[in-house]
Amino acid sequence: MTTATTERDDTLAMLRDSLARYLDDNHGFEQRLYALRKADDAPPPFWRGLATELDLLGAALPESAGGLGGGMAAHLALMETLGGALAAEPYLSTMVIGAGLLQRNPGAQADALLERVVAGEAVLAFAHGEPQSRHDRADVQTEAVRDADGSFRLNGRKAVVHAAPWASHLLVSARSGAGLSLFVVPRNTPGLRLRAYPTRDGGRAADIALDDLRLPADALLGEEGGALPKIEQALDEATLAVCAESVGVMRRLMRDTLDYVRQRKQFGVPIGSFQALQHRMADMHMALEQAAALTASVGEIIDDASSGERARAVSSAKVAAAKACKAVGQGAVQLHGGMGMTEELAVGHYVRRATLIEGQFGPPSWHLRRVAKLRAALVQAQA
């Protein structure tokens, strides 16, 4: 192990420890329940402190953008810790997806917005998926028309945009004659309508309508028509980040379940002493550790991988994480019994998040088909 790697690992460990302590103080389970009951469209109370108290939002960004240069390794470390507190949003939408897209499309507007994001003054949501798209990243029917003065008019619909009710800005994909493009849309832009709602795991999302929404020329991110490869990369990184989040969720489920089977007694002995339950816990642990190891190994290569290698590796990690979420989540509920799905017990909240992670950015069946297509294309190219 090199000195640079050791220093990076030490830095990430310190960031994780600082974040874990901060979340314990500011986003404990009771505080989460209070926030869920309040259910407004302001970002979660802990969010601003990640910038103002911890100076943590730029951990993954390069130093030129005001960050620490941690790259994907920092995202994965922080997402696992955030997952352990059910606090991954709006970090996922703002820093992993949004900031990643802004970095890859530099310009005056993107740079200024990225600076506000790192300072905790702006929250981003990625408005890409549409009612008909079904995880097809190129299936975008929202239209962008350029007027004679260089400005744009957008018309279309976006579905299940996570963190949109909290967002100050949306990054919107739209199709023009040149191809797929990205636009920065401030939340208060006329012609933008949001139908906000809570998600089953306690987050917030919205369906979005764009009706003759007018944007200046500088709202375009990067080159017109050149957004699809950058969107593919951003969504692959977000998929891997969700895998890391799932590791944090599952570790909390394992911890709570182990505590429960040690305390709950039947026939005068803890149920954790029953061999069948020990075997079940061992299977849950193995699924978790396999997903964690694969996520970490993909994180080591993703920054330097080709697009095809990245896609195959990320989809493989997502399949492992989804299967582990199912094994650990179902096992935790069954070992807790009916208590496992009550609102008053944390395990039910974590199981719901694990269940939604299984399908986020594509269910296992979609990722398996993706890997099969990529391998077939590779074999054909080598023939």
Side-chain angles (χ1 to χ4, degrees), residues 72-298:
M72 199 63 201
H75 279 322
L76 298 184
L78 296 179
M79 281 292 292
E80 181 177 336
T81 306
L82 290 164
L86 295 179
E89 286 287 12
Y91 185 89
L92 177 65
S93 61
T94 300
M95 300 310 307
V96 180
I97 302 177
L101 289 171
L102 291 177
Q103 282 184 82
R104 297 181 187 111
N105 294 280
Q109 168 145 291
D111 295 345
L113 182 55
L114 187 58
E115 185 176 340
R116 292 188 60 200
V117 164
V118 173
E121 298 170 357
V123 175
L124 307 179
F126 184 39
H128 179 61
E130 298 184 356
Q132 81 291 337
S133 60
R134 301 295 296 173
H135 306 297
D136 183 347
R137 296 168 177 182
D139 187 356
V140 173
Q141 296 181 6
T142 298
E143 293 183 334
V145 177
R146 187 190 283 270
D147 291 332
D149 61 358
S151 63
F152 292 90
R153 287 180 290 115
L154 270 59
N155 286 278
R157 300 290 183 269
K158 300 294 182 179
V160 197
V161 181
H162 289 278
W166 299 331
S168 60
H169 296 75
L170 303 175
L171 303 185
V172 179
S173 60
R175 188 172 295 281
S176 66
L180 201 59
S181 302
L182 280 171
F183 300 87
V184 176
V185 181
R187 167 73 178 271
N188 58 359
T189 304
L192 174 68
R193 291 186 292 111
L194 274 74
R195 184 178 70 83
Y197 46 84
T199 55
R200 191 66 187 91
D201 57 355
R204 299 284 289 171
D207 294 334
I208 295 174
L210 307 166
D211 295 316
D212 206 30
L213 183 144
R214 296 180 178 272
L215 295 172
D218 66 358
L220 175 67
L221 278 180
E223 178 185 355
E224 184 178 359
L228 183 57
K230 297 171 184 178
I231 289 172
E232 291 272 10
Q233 183 173 358
L235 290 177
D236 278 341
E237 291 174 350
T239 301
L240 190 63
V242 164
C243 293
E245 179 198 354
S246 76
V247 173
V249 170
M250 290 186 285
R251 290 201 191 284
R252 173 62 188 266
L253 281 170
M254 289 294 298
R255 189 188 78 189
D256 286 2
T257 304
L258 185 58
D259 288 344
Y260 180 77
V261 299
R262 285 170 171 169
Q263 296 172 15
R264 178 76 166 88
K265 290 187 176 181
Q266 283 186 351
F267 310 111
V269 297
I271 63 174
S273 64
F274 299 157
Q275 190 176 59
L277 299 192
Q278 291 175 358
H279 289 171
R280 184 65 179 273
M281 292 286 291
D283 290 342
M284 293 160 62
H285 177 74
M286 286 298 297
L288 163 58
E289 293 304 328
Q290 287 172 358
L294 187 52
T295 298
S297 64
V298 175

